[in-house]
Amino acid sequence: LGEYMGITVDTEAPAQISSDDALLFIEENVLPNYLEETDEPAQEGFTVNIDFVGKMDGVAFDGGTAEDQTFVLGNGGFESGIVGMKAGETRDINVTFPEEYTEELAGKDAVFTITMNSVQKERALDDTLAHELNADCDTRDEYIEFVRGELQSQEDMNAEFGLYDAAVEQVIAGSPLVEPSEDAVNWRMDEMILADNNMLSSAYGISLADYISIYGYDLDDYRDSIRETCEDQARQYLVTEAICDAEGLEATDEALEEWASVNGVTMEDVNAAYDADEAAIRCRAWLAARLVAENAQVNYMTGEELSEQESAESAQ
């Protein structure tokens, strides 16, 4: 273990979130979920609900009829003919299927009879919606400021974690012999494979082995693909464990609770994801990284400055 107290660490400074950044986030991520029906003609970006019947030579064809179809206008196709329709209106739209379509329909002409059931548009961010979104906000400006604060907190946290990673990497760079054993690397690979398998099983009901087999790989191939990452992780854990041993840092119940809280999860989540040893190792890694960062001389740089510095160091 090399020097770890009072070292110099270069890291990217957290971005400063403006009210305009917050408003853009709201427009892209919040308002699309808050719609209101309108008597206005449908236009790109509006959400419509339609019934349609497709016919060729006056006869309905398989797959050309549907009811209660909801989508956002703007993806092309016969949607261009829907623009301008109002709720309750019915319109015939002439369509020529593209040549690369299904064999039965490629290049053929059809007529779709569209019935517009409803037209919805995003609600404007006014004082009323702001209060619905957050009961503590009485005005539009207060809600924008609330979102700005949340985004800034997340940005600051990400920057803090980035500092911790940079601090540990700096210690590794200054430690003469940090080479993980094959057992340590295999342990990290086993843990990563288990985590990926649990994620896929929970989210999609498929095992990791079955998922990668779709792409022609097996678990041995997967282990090879994650080896370098796992070597780096094992190297990091060697250093953080050594720091914890040197400083008497322990994964007490209190430390585990704090670590979970910082990561935005509960101990119930932690216990579901890791066994006791794995949780303790990860917690101690965080304790060690925080100690090094808190005692470091930190140089905050822009992302561009940091990239240029890293490029220069790589060239040397």
Side-chain angles (χ1 to χ4, degrees):
L1 182 64
E3 294 295 326
Y4 60 90
M5 297 292 276
I7 63 174
T8 299
V9 179
D10 298 327
T11 190
E12 185 172 351
Q16 296 305 300
I17 307 299
S18 68
S19 295
D20 288 342
D21 295 329
L23 181 57
L24 181 61
F25 177 86
I26 293 167
E27 290 173 345
E28 293 182 346
N29 298 279
V30 178
L31 296 185
N33 299 311
Y34 289 85
L35 307 175
E36 61 183 0
E37 293 200 11
T38 178
D39 294 331
E40 297 177 35
Q43 56 185 279
E44 187 169 320
F46 281 20
T47 298
V48 298
N49 180 279
I50 66 170
D51 300 335
F52 62 83
V53 178
K55 296 181 180 180
M56 289 190 297
D57 299 324
V59 179
F61 57 89
D62 290 343
T65 299
E67 296 181 347
D68 197 29
Q69 300 297 298
T70 300
F71 53 91
V72 178
L73 284 180
N75 294 321
F78 66 52
E79 291 185 22
S80 58
I82 298 174
V83 172
M85 291 182 67
K86 293 184 176 182
E89 184 179 347
T90 298
R91 176 186 295 179
D92 287 341
I93 299 173
N94 297 315
V95 172
T96 299
F97 287 102
E99 293 295 338
E100 63 272 14
Y101 213 69
T102 62
E103 183 177 349
E104 297 80 4
L105 300 176
K108 295 182 178 180
D109 296 327
V111 177
F112 282 88
T113 300
I114 310 292
T115 299
M116 182 67 70
N117 298 321
S118 67
V119 179
Q120 296 178 306
K121 66 177 183 178
E122 292 179 9
R123 292 177 61 182
L125 180 61
D126 54 17
D127 294 348
T128 300
L129 180 56
H131 187 67
E132 289 180 27
L133 292 168
N134 186 325
D136 292 330
C137 298
D138 293 322
T139 67
R140 174 181 184 273
D141 288 344
E142 286 180 3
Y143 179 69
I144 293 174
E145 178 57 26
F146 162 75
V147 173
R148 191 204 65 76
E150 291 294 302
L151 293 175
Q152 188 64 64
S153 294
Q154 185 61 56
E155 179 65 28
D156 292 344
M157 180 177 292
N158 291 340
E160 184 176 349
F161 286 145
L163 168 59
Y164 289 1
D165 289 341
V168 173
E169 287 301 321
Q170 187 68 23
V171 177
I172 291 173
S175 299
L177 297 172
V178 186
E179 287 305 320
S181 68
E182 188 63 17
D183 282 347
V185 177
N186 282 327
W187 165 71
R188 286 311 311 150
M189 289 194 289
D190 289 343
E191 290 291 340
M192 184 175 290
I193 288 171
L194 178 61
D196 290 347
N197 186 74
N198 289 343
M199 183 275 293
L200 287 167
S201 297
S202 175
Y204 306 108
I206 186 173
S207 69
L208 174 62
D210 288 341
Y211 176 76
I212 61 178
S213 70
I214 297 173
Y215 302 96
Y217 299 107
D218 59 24
L219 286 176
D220 286 337
D221 297 323
Y222 192 72
R223 291 181 77 87
D224 289 340
S225 72
I226 64 174
R227 169 172 282 276
E228 185 174 350
T229 296
C230 291
E231 286 176 348
D232 288 340
Q233 291 179 351
R235 194 173 288 110
Q236 290 167 3
Y237 283 129
L238 279 173
V239 166
T240 53
E241 285 289 295
I243 293 172
C244 287
D245 289 345
E247 296 292 331
L249 301 177
E250 296 292 343
T252 63
D253 289 344
E254 183 179 359
L256 284 163
E257 289 278 1
E258 185 180 5
W259 168 65
S261 177
V262 165
N263 283 278
V265 298
T266 66
M267 280 307 300
E268 184 177 327
D269 298 322
V270 170
N271 293 332
Y274 311 115
D275 62 30
D277 288 339
E278 172 76 359
I281 288 172
R282 288 174 178 267
C283 178
R284 286 198 298 271
W286 170 71
L287 290 170
R290 182 176 65 174
L291 176 71
V292 174
E294 287 177 344
N295 288 277
Q297 173 63 48
V298 181
N299 294 328
Y300 286 105
M301 310 169 71
T302 66
E304 184 177 354
E305 290 171 338
L306 199 58
S307 295
E308 290 176 353
Q309 177 176 290
E310 290 172 350
S311 296
E313 290 174 352
S314 297
Q316 294 174 358

